[in-house]
Amino acid sequence: MRNLPTKIHIQNTLTGKETELPIWKNGITRLFVCGPTVYDRLHIGNARTYASFDNFVKFLRYTGIKVRYIQNITDIDDKIIKKAEEEKTTPEEIAQKYTKIFKENMRALDITSVDKYLPATDYIQEIISQVERLIEKNYAYKIEKDLTADKAGGYYFDLSKFPDYGKLAGRTIEQAEDGVSRIDENENKKNRGDFCLWKFPKTNLPLSKKKTKKPILLDGEPVWWAPFGWGRPGWHIEDTAISEKELGPQYEIHGGGRDLIFPHHEAEIAEQESVSGKKPFVQLWMHTGLMTVEGKKMSKSLGNFITVDEFLKNNDANLFRLIVAMHHYRSAMDISERETTAAKEALNNIKEFFAKLDLITKKGVKEKNEENLKTLISFEEKFVGGLTEDLNTPKSLAAVFESINKFSQNIWKLNKLTAKNIKSSFENHLKILGIKIEYTKPDKSTEKIIKEREIFRNKKEFSKSDELRRQIEAKGYKIDDTPLGPLVYKN
Ligand code: AMP
């Protein structure tokens, strides 16, 4: 059974409205999501954003839509340089170390839909080409470095040349720097919100330095040769250079956390639309709500974060994916003990249901029941239907629990084959949300005790069978005597 939806709606930050996902000409939907700045371990707030887009892409692929999904890796940035100084190593080593951890975390959380992770330093020539075109077209201007005042210069984007600035976030150019982090401070900027495209090094280059392909390290700062001066890329230009090369000057969907709407995504629009002269840069902008801790954004700079590694030390990845799916991707999400406990209970309910379905598949009745088949079809329609409505994962999960309740009313009368079909349908659908249900079946020695216990029970020697029950429970199993025999499993 497979119900393919005909329409999918997604909230578009650019228009403030739900947009019907168009089917594109060549049948491929191009998606770019902002990846991490690799200077520290990933926290579960970052992972929430990536898990949400993983749900989105897995759902699109489930419906048959072909998606080309790429993510950049910001592997050159002030924060990386600072960390390298602190750890007395090179920015390259810091970036490599945390890229490796990031990818391991993604695999551990079953975030597997990204086709390619693209480090910014692999795209320096494309970055240089974008800056060059912006200079030629008069969108970029130079601020000379002022070494006496320890201020790096660079090429800046002139916002007065791009009147559309602010269209994504609903801000004016005057509000450009209000309340945002990661701005490019320089008192010589023409407009308050002008952002840096290319940063000149803080230290003077040795006079002998000639053009090289590889970067050189100048007082701990990696710098590349460019026709307009040695330096390194500003943050926003990394993404547009990568996406222009990999996806073209215009593409379908761009995503990230809400914190990136301004200034990052706004700056990307200004850059790419100015470079190519083509509008719109992106048709659909999708933004995830932020994970908060006691109401404050979980962030590396505030230090109020739980890393993915810490989370996975005490919990399994399915629990994380379930918590993510329990919230609409655009809502803020506060992580708390209560939240985790509720998700654990929900996960255990599904595990118990699966254990029952396995027992029924082995020993259940053969009579078919039309009502159960209807419940299964209705589950699939509701689950898929939820995802078509702006990726409403809580609605899809509600369909899971609603149908578990319905099937459970008369579960031992469930037909063998229907039980098998329900399980595989649940597996196929939960997989879209990165949830893989696994419970532990009894091992061989426990199987032996279960059999012995059945013999005592049949002989009504209950004190002996109770003793064996205790032995099974001592091994951490749950045991439940059902009309089809004992159900034994571990969560
Ligand atoms: P960063 O490494 O800070 O550039 O963040 C990488 C990704 O995680 C971006 O898409 C951010 O929008 C997202 N992100 C950062 N903090 C949070 C948070 N607290 N909750 C959800 N997403 C976040």
Side-chain angles (χ1 to χ4, degrees), residues 252-470:
E252 287 78 31
I253 312 173
H254 191 320
R258 309 194 49 75
D259 57 328
L260 298 186
I261 297 177
F262 201 90
H264 185 49
H265 290 163
E266 203 74 67
E268 281 193 47
I269 295 177
E271 283 165 1
Q272 188 58 51
E273 292 188 356
S274 306
V275 163
S276 70
K278 292 181 178 161
K279 291 175 198 244
F281 163 41
V282 169
Q283 296 189 35
L284 175 59
W285 287 86
M286 274 177 87
H287 290 101
T288 53
L290 297 182
M291 188 181 274
T292 54
V293 186
E294 288 164 17
K296 284 207 177 100
K297 178 189 166 190
M298 178 179 286
S299 78
K300 290 172 198 163
S301 42
L302 287 179
N304 61 349
F305 59 90
I306 305 168
T307 64
V308 171
D309 292 324
E310 278 160 3
F311 183 90
L312 290 178
K313 243 184 234 160
N314 305 315
N315 303 290
D316 84 28
N318 283 308
L319 187 73
F320 179 74
R321 297 300 298 257
L322 185 63
I323 298 175
V324 170
M326 283 162 88
H327 297 80
H328 189 268
Y329 76 93
R330 282 191 294 110
S331 316
M333 162 180 171
D334 207 62
I335 189 87
S336 66
E337 195 59 43
R338 220 183 59 194
E339 198 82 43
T340 317
T341 310
K344 264 184 200 156
E345 257 171 44
L347 198 60
N348 288 345
N349 281 347
I350 314 178
K351 287 184 185 180
E352 183 182 335
F353 183 60
F354 269 35
K356 286 178 181 168
L357 292 177
D358 282 342
L359 183 65
I360 298 164
T361 304
K362 253 201 221 156
K363 299 188 174 169
V365 298
K366 293 206 171 122
E367 298 87 68
K368 280 203 174 145
N369 175 329
E370 281 303 314
E371 204 47 43
N372 285 325
L373 288 176
K374 276 190 205 151
T375 306
L376 182 56
I377 292 169
S378 151
F379 154 70
E380 295 188 349
E381 279 171 3
K382 285 184 184 165
F383 187 97
V384 172
L387 298 180
T388 64
E389 296 164 23
D390 195 21
L391 202 69
N392 195 334
T393 52
K395 202 164 175 184
S396 300
L397 282 181
V400 171
F401 295 106
E402 195 182 282
S403 59
I404 291 181
N405 284 342
K406 218 156 181 196
F407 287 127
S408 298
Q409 282 165 11
N410 227 338
I411 194 149
W412 306 113
K413 297 260 172 70
L414 211 57
N415 160 280
K416 278 166 99 106
L417 190 63
T418 311
K420 199 173 169 203
N421 288 338
I422 295 171
K423 190 179 166 204
S424 89
S425 167
F426 268 49
E427 279 172 339
N428 286 336
H429 288 86
L430 286 170
K431 199 163 72 180
I432 299 173
L433 307 180
I435 301 166
K436 290 185 180 148
I437 301 297
E438 276 158 11
Y439 66 90
T440 311
K441 293 183 180 158
D443 55 23
K444 278 210 172 125
S445 67
T446 314
E447 284 285 7
K448 224 174 119 199
I449 309 176
I450 297 168
K451 276 190 188 135
E452 280 171 32
R453 179 175 171 267
E454 281 309 285
I455 295 170
F456 287 127
R457 265 168 49 86
N458 289 337
K459 290 199 275 183
K460 301 207 180 323
E461 292 182 34
F462 293 120
S463 66
K464 284 186 180 155
S465 71
D466 280 352
E467 169 51 28
L468 293 181
R469 164 190 278 271
R470 277 191 286 278

Side-chain angles (χ1 to χ4, degrees), residues 76-196:
I76 176 70
D77 184 82
D78 291 349
K79 291 177 185 170
I80 298 173
I81 296 171
K82 189 164 167 259
K83 184 81 170 221
E85 270 166 29
E86 285 163 13
E87 295 199 1
K88 304 211 174 345
T89 177
T90 60
E92 194 182 359
E93 279 192 13
I94 291 292
Q96 277 173 0
K97 173 179 167 185
Y98 290 108
T99 300
K100 185 165 173 273
I101 295 174
F102 163 69
K103 288 186 179 167
E104 283 164 6
N105 285 168
M106 291 296 100
R107 276 193 294 276
L109 294 174
D110 197 37
I111 298 175
T112 52
S113 53
V114 178
D115 291 311
K116 264 189 182 169
Y117 289 107
L118 307 169
T121 55
D122 285 356
Y123 290 82
I124 296 294
Q125 292 317 313
E126 286 75 13
I127 293 169
I128 291 174
S129 150
Q130 283 212 336
V131 181
E132 237 175 347
R133 281 175 284 160
L134 288 171
I135 297 171
E136 270 163 27
K137 291 184 165 192
N138 237 350
Y139 284 102
Y141 64 95
K142 185 176 181 179
I143 299 182
E144 291 293 348
K145 60 184 159 194
D146 179 357
L147 291 176
T148 50
D150 194 26
K151 277 194 193 115
Y155 272 91
Y156 281 74
F157 189 93
D158 182 352
L159 281 181
S160 65
K161 304 271 167 60
F162 191 77
D164 270 359
Y165 195 73
K167 67 179 170 185
L168 185 68
R171 286 187 182 225
T172 60
I173 292 179
E174 290 69 42
Q175 294 166 329
E177 280 184 358
D178 292 348
V180 292
S181 57
R182 239 156 87 155
I183 49 167
D184 297 311
E185 293 278 14
N186 196 312
E187 64 207 28
N188 296 323
K189 287 197 300 190
K190 288 189 181 169
N191 312 285
R192 257 186 98 204
D194 289 354
F195 50 86
C196 193

